[in-house]
Amino acid sequence: MTAIQRTLSIVKPDGVQKRVIGDVIGRFEKAGLRIVAMKMIHMSSSDAGGFYVVHRERPFYGELREYMSSGPVVVLVLEGHDAIALTRRIMGATDPAHADPGTIRADLAESIERNIVHGSDSVESAAYEIPFFFSAMEIHGG
Ligand code: CDP
Ligand code: MG
C-alpha cells in the first residue's frame, strides 16, 4: 500500500527553452499523476537560492542559482500514489549520463547542471517546496 502524496516539480529554464514543457508534463500525466497546481514564473537569483537553500554549501550553488533564474520555469504540484518516488523515477538520475533510458533526463537533458526537471526528493522536501511556490488556495486537490 502506498500513500497519496503531493510533490513539487519544476520544468527548469532549459526545458522551457527547448519547448519540452508538454513532453515533461505529458510523461507525468501518462504515469497517472494528477496536476493539482501549475504556473509559469521567472525566479530572481535570491528566489532560486531560497528554493535550493539545502545546497548552500555546495560548490555548484552559485551556478545553480544563476541557471534557475536564467529564464522562466513551470512549477507544478503533482498528486498521486507514491508521487514523490514515482516522479523521481520518471525524471531519472541527476546526471543524464547515468539516467535510465526512457527517463526525462536520459531523453532530454544535456548535463548534470542543466537537467530539465526538478522533483522533491522526500516528504520533508515536498513540505518545504510546495508552499514555497503555492498557497493552499492555488492547489486544487481531488
Ligand atoms: O535535482 P536532483 O534532486 O536530482 O539533484 P540535487 O543533488 O538535489 O541537485 C540539485 C540540482 O543542482 C541538480 O538538479 C542540478 O541542476 C544541480 N547540480 C549541479 O549543477 N551540479 C552537481 N554536481 C549536482 C547538481
Ligand atoms: Mg534534489
Side-chain angles (χ1 to χ4, degrees):
M1 268 268 295
T2 53
I4 298 281
Q5 295 175 329
R6 287 177 180 173
T7 191
L8 190 283
S9 179
I10 305 178
V11 184
K12 295 180 175 185
D14 53 326
V16 174
Q17 188 76 35
K18 286 181 171 163
R19 305 183 200 177
V20 295
I21 298 169
D23 188 338
V24 170
I25 292 174
R27 291 172 191 237
F28 292 143
E29 288 195 317
K30 284 192 192 82
L33 291 160
R34 179 186 302 277
I35 297 169
V36 296
M38 181 161 76
K39 61 190 168 190
M40 181 178 270
I41 57 163
H42 189 154
M43 285 187 268
S44 67
S45 174
S46 78
D47 292 334
F51 178 70
Y52 277 121
V53 71
V54 63
H55 291 318
R56 68 188 174 285
E57 308 294 346
R58 308 288 286 278
F60 57 81
Y61 184 58
E63 281 179 19
L64 179 57
R65 290 173 58 155
E66 203 176 307
Y67 157 50
M68 289 301 290
S69 60
S70 66
V73 300
V74 174
V75 286
L76 51 151
V77 179
L78 299 168
E79 185 179 83
H81 286 284
D82 206 17
I84 295 169
L86 176 57
T87 297
R88 298 285 301 190
R89 280 201 296 280
I90 298 165
M91 288 163 51
T94 308
D95 183 348
H98 298 138
D100 289 339
T103 60
I104 292 169
R105 283 163 164 173
D107 291 351
L108 305 175
E110 66 193 49
S111 68
I112 191 171
E113 292 86 15
R114 299 171 65 83
N115 58 9
I116 299 281
V117 68
H118 169 85
S120 307
D121 68 2
S122 63
V123 171
E124 294 71 29
S125 309
Y128 175 75
E129 294 175 357
I130 292 170
F132 189 88
F133 291 113
F134 295 100
S135 71
M137 254 194 291
E138 294 175 307
I139 300 172
H140 310 280

